[in-house]
Amino acid sequence: MKTKLYFKLSNLNFIKNKDLNKKIGMKPFKWIVKNTFFKYFNQKIKVENQNVDLAEIRKEMTFSEISHLIGFVFVAIVAFYQIYSKGLLFGLTMMIPNTLMNLYPSLLQQENKRRIDIFLKSKTTLTHNN
């Protein structure tokens, strides 16, 4: 966490366009995460009231995002090896769940971090103007 690479990874933004997020299905994915058993997985990134420390939640989101990215890359390497050695179908059966369980959560964290950043920036701006 204290490396330059972690700092670079903590500010990644794969998809900046809200329309592209909609096209790849982030809105239904977000609904699934919020309204199913997935909501119980990482309680540290839950905003329940206005007294929560958004900077701390952003830090936890970054950790979660990077963990999911590492998982995605690792499984993708194994899946591509399996495509080469066993066939396309075998590799795809690994990549589809990998995408849903690692890449999409990472993209969701990026989207949520952008929302937090906008809020924190506006809060800082209001504080400095008063």
Side-chain angles (χ1 to χ4, degrees), residues 86-98:
K86 301 220 183 252
L88 182 64
L89 184 61
F90 193 83
L92 285 178
T93 58
M94 290 178 72
M95 278 307 292
I96 292 170
N98 185 31

Side-chain angles (χ1 to χ4, degrees), residues 92-127:
L92 285 178
T93 58
M94 290 178 72
M95 278 307 292
I96 292 170
N98 185 31
T99 300
L100 294 174
M101 301 305 282
N102 283 317
L103 183 61
Y104 268 57
S106 184
L107 293 175
L108 181 60
Q109 298 301 351
Q110 287 181 6
E111 182 180 337
N112 289 335
K113 284 187 339 182
R114 284 192 300 271
R115 291 172 50 216
I116 287 175
D117 289 344
I118 290 168
F119 181 79
L120 290 174
K121 186 176 180 180
S122 68
K123 189 176 176 181
T124 303
T125 305
L126 287 174
T127 305

